[in-house]
Amino acid sequence: MRPVAILGIGQTKIDEHWDKSLKELAGEAAFEALKDAGIERADSLFVGNMLSPLIDRQNQLGAHLADWIGMWGAEATKIEAACGSGAAAFRAGLTAVAAGEAESALVVGVEKMTARAGREVTSALATAADADYEVEQGVSFVGLNALVMRRYMHEHGWKHADFAPFSINAHANAMHNPFARLRQRITAEQFEKSSMVATPINLLDASPIGDGAAAAILVPAEKLTGRRIVVAGSASATDTIAVHSRRDPLFLSAAYASSKQAYAQAGIDAADVDVFELHDAFSIMAALSLEACGFAERGQGPRLGLDGQIQPKGRVPVCTRGGLKARGHPVGATGMYQIVEVVQQLRGECGETQVDGAEIGLAQNIGGSGATILTHILRLET
């Protein structure tokens, strides 16, 4: 397998794009990535998306987008892995280029979620849970995370207020990201007084949905000279879909397994990571991800936030462009937004939230409540 590098990136602002269709959003990000890469088309196309059959009544997204952007005749495939669809598509494109099956791959993550009523979107998102033993019993996706958070607080003695730094940091960073949906600061007091969604998760624990697309161009690293960003590690792992079936519901075993494999491929460990774009769909997931990936001891994830270590100048900078919490969470596109944001950090393009000297970035995308987890490590080479 040959080394692969990222040649170009593109993204749209996450918002309620009433005037743009699914293919128009995807095309906008795709064209930006092609322009950034300095090429007109790629050999292959991989599209990450979760909800298009349920919300947009559209399948065949590979061919649909290839037709829209003028990539007629190219291999084009849609990849679905719930909220991990973006990173799963990235891994598919990476594999194609690394294996020599393609000389270039355009990967696009896209989702359009705001054109339907909230109850329809909630029902569609619930398809990432176990239909027989979770959805059938009436538990929502946020309800599952609330149950995990409640048990975590009970086991480890944390209060709800102890999770506030995750959301505060995300919003502070989103202030400097023009593509983010929620570009406003929040305070600890606002966090605590926010409306309850599913105890103990309130509105400011949870990420907002939205419409958006993000894209990247992958090519063999050998074709690039000078500074380049290579994919140093890529791994995917799974756990049970149903949370209650897990050996330990408070540990993301798929995050542990995929990060361990990616670290080994890159020849690094957690201490070498300069920036971590984690999947903070809910604040509890931020804590669990930090623990599973080796940045905190079991039960001590919130401590990093309370000690100020997750900020851009901290020991473990996370969600430096706003994360899912403030940048927004257009589910099938989220994994590609994370890739794009790590690339921006390694290029030194993040302005006020730039991590000094960033050379190694970690992006971790989670499907469902931890059933599918993909970990990618990007490295700046000179």
Side-chain angles (χ1 to χ4, degrees), residues 238-272:
T238 58
D239 200 348
T240 64
I241 292 181
V243 174
H244 67 261
S245 295
R246 295 174 191 168
R247 179 174 300 178
D248 185 351
L250 300 185
F251 186 68
L252 295 175
S253 64
Y256 172 79
S258 63
S259 63
K260 183 179 180 180
Q261 186 177 346
Y263 288 152
Q265 292 172 5
I268 66 169
D269 59 28
D272 298 310

Side-chain angles (χ1 to χ4, degrees), residues 197-344:
V197 180
T199 308
I201 290 177
N202 68 20
L203 196 62
L204 291 183
D205 280 299
S207 57
I209 64 168
D211 308 332
I217 303 290
L218 295 168
V219 297
E222 61 194 24
K223 290 189 174 183
L224 305 182
T225 59
R227 289 166 60 89
R228 61 187 183 182
I229 296 171
V230 300
V231 183
S234 172
S236 179
T238 58
D239 200 348
T240 64
I241 292 181
V243 174
H244 67 261
S245 295
R246 295 174 191 168
R247 179 174 300 178
D248 185 351
L250 300 185
F251 186 68
L252 295 175
S253 64
Y256 172 79
S258 63
S259 63
K260 183 179 180 180
Q261 186 177 346
Y263 288 152
Q265 292 172 5
I268 66 169
D269 59 28
D272 298 310
V273 173
D274 297 312
V275 59
F276 182 17
E277 291 302 329
L278 55 74
H279 192 99
D280 59 329
F282 302 96
S283 55
I284 181 60
M285 297 306 286
L288 295 180
S289 296
L290 287 166
E291 294 169 20
C293 294
F295 296 100
E297 296 294 326
R298 289 288 307 275
Q300 295 301 308
R303 176 56 54 196
L304 290 176
L306 292 168
D307 290 345
Q309 295 302 302
I310 61 172
Q311 299 168 8
K313 304 302 181 183
R315 179 172 65 86
V316 189
V318 305
C319 302
T320 61
R321 307 298 282 158
L324 284 65
K325 174 63 196 77
R327 175 237 296 132
H329 184 27
V331 290
T334 288
M336 285 308 299
Y337 274 98
Q338 293 174 316
I339 293 292
V340 165
E341 290 160 356
V342 171
V343 170
Q344 288 181 314

Side-chain angles (χ1 to χ4, degrees), residues 31-86:
F31 286 129
E32 285 297 321
L34 289 166
K35 179 180 178 181
D36 187 47
I39 61 176
E40 292 186 358
R41 62 175 283 160
D43 295 341
S44 55
L45 171 64
F46 298 88
V47 184
N49 174 271
M50 176 187 175
L51 301 174
S52 68
L54 300 173
I55 292 182
D56 305 285
R57 308 297 190 260
Q58 179 69 62
N59 259 322
Q60 284 273 62
L61 282 196
H64 192 52
L65 181 56
D67 179 30
W68 178 249
I69 65 176
M71 282 181 61
W72 303 289
E75 173 187 4
T77 306
K78 172 191 167 178
I79 310 294
E80 185 277 318
C83 308
S85 298

Side-chain angles (χ1 to χ4, degrees), residues 137-264:
Q137 306 308 314
V139 64
S140 66
F141 202 58
V142 65
L144 288 170
N145 282 270
L147 289 170
V148 171
M149 187 173 183
R150 179 188 287 269
R151 187 65 191 179
Y152 183 92
M153 292 165 61
H154 171 76
E155 292 283 349
H156 301 296
W158 296 106
K159 302 185 299 294
H160 179 254
D162 296 327
F163 292 82
F166 292 122
S167 296
I168 292 171
N169 173 68
H171 277 263
N173 292 339
M175 289 284 294
H176 307 287
N177 180 6
F179 298 98
R181 182 162 194 194
L182 302 181
R183 300 181 65 199
Q184 63 261 7
R185 297 183 188 277
I186 63 171
T187 65
E189 182 179 11
Q190 288 173 321
F191 178 84
E192 275 298 278
K193 291 184 177 180
S194 181
S195 301
M196 192 58 63
V197 180
T199 308
I201 290 177
N202 68 20
L203 196 62
L204 291 183
D205 280 299
S207 57
I209 64 168
D211 308 332
I217 303 290
L218 295 168
V219 297
E222 61 194 24
K223 290 189 174 183
L224 305 182
T225 59
R227 289 166 60 89
R228 61 187 183 182
I229 296 171
V230 300
V231 183
S234 172
S236 179
T238 58
D239 200 348
T240 64
I241 292 181
V243 174
H244 67 261
S245 295
R246 295 174 191 168
R247 179 174 300 178
D248 185 351
L250 300 185
F251 186 68
L252 295 175
S253 64
Y256 172 79
S258 63
S259 63
K260 183 179 180 180
Q261 186 177 346
Y263 288 152

Side-chain angles (χ1 to χ4, degrees), residues 51 55 111-116 121 125 209-211 329-331:
L51 301 174
I55 292 182
E111 206 75 77
K112 185 170 173 63
M113 306 176 70
T114 64
R116 298 286 175 181
V121 177
L125 289 171
I209 64 168
D211 308 332
H329 184 27
V331 290

Side-chain angles (χ1 to χ4, degrees), residues 105-128:
L106 167 60
V107 184
V108 183
V110 62
E111 206 75 77
K112 185 170 173 63
M113 306 176 70
T114 64
R116 298 286 175 181
R119 63 181 180 277
E120 292 184 68
V121 177
T122 298
S123 295
L125 289 171
T127 61

